[in-house]
Amino acid sequence: MIESKKLGFSVDGRVLLTDVSMTFEAGKVYALVGHNGSGKSTLLKLLAQQQKPTSGQLFLNDQAIVAWSPKKFAQQVAYLPQQTPTTDSLSGKDLVSFGRYPWHGLLDRLNKQDKQYIDEAMALTDTMDYADRLVDTLSGGERQRLWLAMLLAQRSQYLLLDEPLSALDIAHQVDMLKLIKKLSRELNLGVIIVIHDINMAARFCDHIVALHSGKMIASGSVESLFTPQTLQDIYGIHMHILNHPAGYPVAMPY
């Protein structure tokens, strides 16, 4: 598991995150929600070791994260930033193969097992048809599936995804979240995802962590957070809650 204890982050005297204590387990999908600037991406970057906390502690599998080497940490935790690197002249398979970097290094040759993991990741994400296509020629949804395949090829226990739906239309958002939930169940992956749409979080995630002004103001199951008062605390507006026929709540502002 990944555990934070009184985690905080400040820069130039400005507090971006404070006193966040939370445990993330394998086999569950966690949504980080809140208004813009609430601290969602900051928390994810701290969990991914992209930034160092200025207060508090982080643990991975009951061991302080500072005791993990970057290589060993990357073998357990895979991170996808909101702004992905450029993919000029890369084929789909080339991109997915980068997932093996934490195990070998960038210049080492891929062995038979590496190639097996790459093929498995592409099969799980239904991206084999893009293996020889240039990534930059693909649609946003197709590219996001390839990035997800790259994380799966990394064979990590946790996937940390910063707004992976932001450039996708509604159909591809649903498609991506269905896939993420399916992979979490089948591979026992812990997934932590920054997401803006609270209704998408309710439909596809197991646990919601709500942030406001750098503080964690609520954490729990979808059912426990979907109350008018809690949603107003998170977003600052009144919301009416309906029960969707498919079995999940839907919040509507009024």
Side-chain angles (χ1 to χ4, degrees), residues 217-229:
I217 61 170
S219 173
S221 66
V222 172
E223 292 76 14
S224 68
L225 264 72
F226 260 67
T227 69
Q229 185 59 57

Side-chain angles (χ1 to χ4, degrees), residues 14-125:
R14 189 162 69 99
V15 177
L16 301 181
L17 200 72
T18 183
D19 201 25
V20 174
S21 297
M22 180 67 200
T23 298
F24 301 93
E25 301 175 354
K28 293 183 178 181
V29 181
Y30 295 84
L32 302 184
V33 304
H35 61 83
N36 288 340
S38 61
K40 303 183 299 295
S41 291
T42 298
L43 175 56
L44 197 74
K45 289 176 182 177
L46 294 176
L47 297 175
Q49 290 291 278
Q50 298 299 303
Q51 293 175 331
K52 300 298 182 184
T54 53
S55 62
Q57 292 179 294
L58 277 170
F59 298 86
L60 173 61
N61 297 335
D62 296 321
Q63 184 178 6
I65 280 183
V66 293
W68 289 78
S69 70
K71 181 177 180 179
K72 290 295 184 182
F73 181 82
Q75 291 172 2
Q76 295 294 320
V77 179
Y79 169 69
L80 185 65
Q82 184 178 352
Q83 299 296 328
T84 54
T86 58
T87 53
D88 296 342
S89 302
L90 279 180
S91 70
K93 198 158 194 175
D94 288 338
L95 176 59
V96 177
S97 70
F98 287 157
R100 301 307 298 157
Y101 171 73
W103 298 88
H104 292 293
L106 193 59
L107 300 178
D108 287 354
R109 295 176 63 88
L110 298 175
N111 59 35
K112 183 178 180 180
Q113 187 176 60
D114 294 320
K115 293 176 182 178
Q116 177 185 335
Y117 289 154
I118 291 165
D119 287 344
E120 288 176 358
M122 298 189 77
L124 285 167
T125 54

Side-chain angles (χ1 to χ4, degrees), residues 44-235:
L44 197 74
K45 289 176 182 177
L46 294 176
L47 297 175
Q49 290 291 278
Q50 298 299 303
Q51 293 175 331
K52 300 298 182 184
T54 53
S55 62
Q57 292 179 294
L58 277 170
F59 298 86
L60 173 61
N61 297 335
D62 296 321
Q63 184 178 6
I65 280 183
V66 293
W68 289 78
S69 70
K71 181 177 180 179
K72 290 295 184 182
F73 181 82
Q75 291 172 2
Q76 295 294 320
V77 179
Y79 169 69
L80 185 65
Q82 184 178 352
Q83 299 296 328
T84 54
T86 58
T87 53
D88 296 342
S89 302
L90 279 180
S91 70
K93 198 158 194 175
D94 288 338
L95 176 59
V96 177
S97 70
F98 287 157
R100 301 307 298 157
Y101 171 73
W103 298 88
H104 292 293
L106 193 59
L107 300 178
D108 287 354
R109 295 176 63 88
L110 298 175
N111 59 35
K112 183 178 180 180
Q113 187 176 60
D114 294 320
K115 293 176 182 178
Q116 177 185 335
Y117 289 154
I118 291 165
D119 287 344
E120 288 176 358
M122 298 189 77
L124 285 167
T125 54
D126 195 24
T127 53
M128 290 299 292
D129 288 346
Y130 315 141
D132 298 320
R133 297 269 305 275
L134 291 178
V135 176
D136 289 346
T137 67
L138 300 173
S139 70
E142 292 165 344
R143 288 197 300 271
Q144 284 299 78
R145 278 181 169 262
L146 280 172
W147 284 109
L148 184 59
M150 185 196 75
L151 301 189
L152 294 179
Q154 197 167 323
R155 306 289 285 194
S156 301
Q157 189 177 21
Y158 292 91
L159 307 183
L160 278 54
L161 313 174
D162 195 352
E163 296 192 40
L165 312 178
S166 60
L168 304 182
D169 60 44
I170 186 67
H172 283 104
Q173 289 181 27
V174 170
D175 183 54
M176 180 62 65
L177 286 172
K178 282 182 177 179
L179 177 59
I180 287 170
K181 186 170 185 176
K182 176 175 179 284
L183 293 171
S184 174
R185 297 290 188 270
E186 292 181 353
L187 304 178
N188 194 38
L189 298 173
V191 181
I192 308 172
I193 178 171
V194 173
I195 187 169
H196 280 288
D197 191 327
I198 189 67
N199 291 319
M200 287 289 195
R203 182 176 176 183
F204 293 105
C205 299
D206 303 299
H207 191 110
I208 296 177
V209 178
L211 295 145
H212 192 290
S213 302
K215 297 180 179 179
M216 187 174 73
I217 61 170
S219 173
S221 66
V222 172
E223 292 76 14
S224 68
L225 264 72
F226 260 67
T227 69
Q229 185 59 57
T230 300
L231 293 176
Q232 184 176 352
D233 291 343
I234 296 170
Y235 294 107

